[in-house]
Amino acid sequence: MRPAVLATAFALLATGPAGAATLELDFTAYGGGLRIAEGTLRLDAAGTTSGPYAIRVDAGWASWITLFTTFRYEAEAAGTLGNPSVRPARFRSERQLRRKRDVLRMDFSGAAPAVRMEPPRDPDDAKLIPEEATRGTADPLSVGAAVIAAAGGASACTGRYPVYDGRRRYDVLMTPLGREVLEPSTRRMAAGPADACQVTLRPVAGFQRDLNPEKFFVQGVDRTAKLWFMRVEPQGRVVPVQMEVETNVGSFYVHTTGVRVVP
């Protein structure tokens, strides 16, 4: 799995239901039957469906891969949840791939997000996304928080979320798929009836235009993932327990392996 795809998968899955306590979830990603990455998220939110939130995700290669190469991804966001809307205030991410380090900061206080990158983005690439296309958007982590805040309610797995990640502008479309049964697995923490959702990433601007099958982000090509939500302990919270990400080179899975509630 390419680092960009991994980061997107963790951003989509890095969500937890809002609550008075802090929620922590552990994840593991698999590809081709091999454990390839792992991560943890932490969510602080004031209410069940609305109010201020802060979310952070840390992810990286599985330990055996670090013998050959290095990859770390850290991201955090904060803002205000609606029902099911979201208004981010800020977003920051840092990606370390071998010796290359990329830092992204986004400020949502204006009409359009203000973006700062280290190293700076190529001006020609930045021109691919007009400013008007970024107005009213949110970062991927904040959209994930909004999606899960709606889980279990009337608007669960529905809606369209405009996303801007500082490099690409796309829409996240949520579609309910009904109830399905997840068979027991040693790779995830829960099994049984689950609510399935389809997640569609629809490119808007800033995507590559060639059709190289190894590239995940291509202009004009929708990408889909599937999420399964279950109500689990502690406190009977609805959380994502599994994600399947489809690519042209196969499917990858992200499983929730642990849930903790910190007072």
Side-chain angles (χ1 to χ4, degrees), residues 18 28 32 41 46 65 74 76 110 156 163 185 221 225 254:
T28 301
L41 77 86
I65 299 182
E74 301 173 358
E76 56 187 7
V163 178
S185 172
V221 178
V254 183

PDB file of all heavy atoms in Angstrom, residues 18 28 32 41 46 65 74 76 110 156 163 185 221 225 254:
ATOM      1  N   ALA A  18     -18.421  11.014  19.462  1.00  0.00           N
ATOM      2  CA  ALA A  18     -18.216  12.085  20.428  1.00  0.00           C
ATOM      3  C   ALA A  18     -18.744  11.669  21.789  1.00  0.00           C
ATOM      4  O   ALA A  18     -19.705  10.922  21.910  1.00  0.00           O
ATOM      5  CB  ALA A  18     -18.912  13.356  19.952  1.00  0.00           C
ATOM      6  N   THR A  28      -4.869  -1.746  12.827  1.00  0.00           N
ATOM      7  CA  THR A  28      -3.838  -2.463  12.097  1.00  0.00           C
ATOM      8  C   THR A  28      -4.304  -2.630  10.661  1.00  0.00           C
ATOM      9  O   THR A  28      -5.470  -2.955  10.422  1.00  0.00           O
ATOM     10  CB  THR A  28      -3.556  -3.842  12.713  1.00  0.00           C
ATOM     11  OG1 THR A  28      -3.147  -3.683  14.070  1.00  0.00           O
ATOM     12  CG2 THR A  28      -2.441  -4.559  11.956  1.00  0.00           C
ATOM     13  N   GLY A  32      -2.460  -8.134   1.134  1.00  0.00           N
ATOM     14  CA  GLY A  32      -1.913  -9.407   0.684  1.00  0.00           C
ATOM     15  C   GLY A  32      -1.713 -10.405   1.806  1.00  0.00           C
ATOM     16  O   GLY A  32      -0.836 -11.273   1.745  1.00  0.00           O
ATOM     17  N   LEU A  41      -5.607   6.406  17.280  1.00  0.00           N
ATOM     18  CA  LEU A  41      -6.230   7.721  17.255  1.00  0.00           C
ATOM     19  C   LEU A  41      -6.700   8.091  18.651  1.00  0.00           C
ATOM     20  O   LEU A  41      -6.916   7.237  19.512  1.00  0.00           O
ATOM     21  CB  LEU A  41      -7.417   7.769  16.280  1.00  0.00           C
ATOM     22  CG  LEU A  41      -8.750   7.129  16.699  1.00  0.00           C
ATOM     23  CD1 LEU A  41      -9.607   8.099  17.494  1.00  0.00           C
ATOM     24  CD2 LEU A  41      -9.498   6.657  15.485  1.00  0.00           C
ATOM     25  N   ALA A  46     -16.997  17.194  23.056  1.00  0.00           N
ATOM     26  CA  ALA A  46     -17.781  17.666  24.194  1.00  0.00           C
ATOM     27  C   ALA A  46     -19.186  17.089  24.246  1.00  0.00           C
ATOM     28  O   ALA A  46     -19.786  16.999  25.308  1.00  0.00           O
ATOM     29  CB  ALA A  46     -17.863  19.188  24.174  1.00  0.00           C
ATOM     30  N   ILE A  65       8.488  -4.094   8.619  1.00  0.00           N
ATOM     31  CA  ILE A  65       8.810  -3.283   7.443  1.00  0.00           C
ATOM     32  C   ILE A  65       9.845  -2.222   7.791  1.00  0.00           C
ATOM     33  O   ILE A  65      10.642  -1.809   6.937  1.00  0.00           O
ATOM     34  CB  ILE A  65       7.537  -2.640   6.861  1.00  0.00           C
ATOM     35  CG1 ILE A  65       6.545  -3.722   6.430  1.00  0.00           C
ATOM     36  CG2 ILE A  65       7.875  -1.732   5.678  1.00  0.00           C
ATOM     37  CD1 ILE A  65       5.274  -3.178   5.804  1.00  0.00           C
ATOM     38  N   GLU A  74       1.528  11.581  11.170  1.00  0.00           N
ATOM     39  CA  GLU A  74       0.866  12.160  12.326  1.00  0.00           C
ATOM     40  C   GLU A  74      -0.032  13.294  11.847  1.00  0.00           C
ATOM     41  O   GLU A  74       0.381  14.106  11.015  1.00  0.00           O
ATOM     42  CB  GLU A  74       1.899  12.712  13.314  1.00  0.00           C
ATOM     43  CG  GLU A  74       2.884  11.671  13.814  1.00  0.00           C
ATOM     44  CD  GLU A  74       3.993  12.289  14.646  1.00  0.00           C
ATOM     45  OE1 GLU A  74       3.992  13.537  14.785  1.00  0.00           O
ATOM     46  OE2 GLU A  74       4.850  11.547  15.147  1.00  0.00           O
ATOM     47  N   GLU A  76      -3.478  16.022  13.193  1.00  0.00           N
ATOM     48  CA  GLU A  76      -4.409  16.454  14.232  1.00  0.00           C
ATOM     49  C   GLU A  76      -5.292  17.558  13.679  1.00  0.00           C
ATOM     50  O   GLU A  76      -4.878  18.328  12.809  1.00  0.00           O
ATOM     51  CB  GLU A  76      -3.655  16.919  15.474  1.00  0.00           C
ATOM     52  CG  GLU A  76      -2.656  18.024  15.217  1.00  0.00           C
ATOM     53  CD  GLU A  76      -1.810  18.323  16.443  1.00  0.00           C
ATOM     54  OE1 GLU A  76      -1.914  17.570  17.438  1.00  0.00           O
ATOM     55  OE2 GLU A  76      -1.057  19.309  16.410  1.00  0.00           O
ATOM     56  N   GLY A 110     -10.682  31.731   7.612  1.00  0.00           N
ATOM     57  CA  GLY A 110     -11.127  32.610   6.536  1.00  0.00           C
ATOM     58  C   GLY A 110     -12.182  31.967   5.649  1.00  0.00           C
ATOM     59  O   GLY A 110     -12.678  30.866   5.927  1.00  0.00           O
ATOM     60  N   ALA A 156     -27.016   8.558   9.643  1.00  0.00           N
ATOM     61  CA  ALA A 156     -25.837   7.698   9.584  1.00  0.00           C
ATOM     62  C   ALA A 156     -25.564   7.245   8.158  1.00  0.00           C
ATOM     63  O   ALA A 156     -26.485   6.899   7.416  1.00  0.00           O
ATOM     64  CB  ALA A 156     -26.025   6.488  10.491  1.00  0.00           C
ATOM     65  N   VAL A 163     -14.054  17.922   0.769  1.00  0.00           N
ATOM     66  CA  VAL A 163     -12.782  17.756   1.459  1.00  0.00           C
ATOM     67  C   VAL A 163     -11.673  18.458   0.693  1.00  0.00           C
ATOM     68  O   VAL A 163     -11.602  18.413  -0.536  1.00  0.00           O
ATOM     69  CB  VAL A 163     -12.430  16.260   1.613  1.00  0.00           C
ATOM     70  CG1 VAL A 163     -11.076  16.098   2.303  1.00  0.00           C
ATOM     71  CG2 VAL A 163     -13.504  15.537   2.401  1.00  0.00           C
ATOM     72  N   SER A 185     -12.708 -12.962  13.686  1.00  0.00           N
ATOM     73  CA  SER A 185     -11.368 -12.860  13.117  1.00  0.00           C
ATOM     74  C   SER A 185     -10.389 -12.463  14.206  1.00  0.00           C
ATOM     75  O   SER A 185     -10.702 -11.636  15.068  1.00  0.00           O
ATOM     76  CB  SER A 185     -11.336 -11.826  11.989  1.00  0.00           C
ATOM     77  OG  SER A 185     -10.007 -11.581  11.557  1.00  0.00           O
ATOM     78  N   VAL A 221     -11.591   9.491 -11.723  1.00  0.00           N
ATOM     79  CA  VAL A 221     -11.764   8.101 -11.295  1.00  0.00           C
ATOM     80  C   VAL A 221     -12.204   8.074  -9.831  1.00  0.00           C
ATOM     81  O   VAL A 221     -11.456   8.489  -8.946  1.00  0.00           O
ATOM     82  CB  VAL A 221     -10.462   7.292 -11.466  1.00  0.00           C
ATOM     83  CG1 VAL A 221     -10.665   5.855 -10.975  1.00  0.00           C
ATOM     84  CG2 VAL A 221     -10.015   7.300 -12.918  1.00  0.00           C
ATOM     85  N   ALA A 225     -14.342   2.741  -0.707  1.00  0.00           N
ATOM     86  CA  ALA A 225     -13.954   1.958   0.466  1.00  0.00           C
ATOM     87  C   ALA A 225     -15.246   1.519   1.140  1.00  0.00           C
ATOM     88  O   ALA A 225     -16.327   2.061   0.870  1.00  0.00           O
ATOM     89  CB  ALA A 225     -13.092   2.780   1.413  1.00  0.00           C
ATOM     90  N   VAL A 254      -8.221  -2.407   7.046  1.00  0.00           N
ATOM     91  CA  VAL A 254      -7.827  -1.772   8.293  1.00  0.00           C
ATOM     92  C   VAL A 254      -8.803  -2.256   9.362  1.00  0.00           C
ATOM     93  O   VAL A 254     -10.019  -2.101   9.217  1.00  0.00           O
ATOM     94  CB  VAL A 254      -7.862  -0.235   8.192  1.00  0.00           C
ATOM     95  CG1 VAL A 254      -7.371   0.381   9.503  1.00  0.00           C
ATOM     96  CG2 VAL A 254      -7.014   0.261   7.025  1.00  0.00           C
TER      97      VAL A 254
END
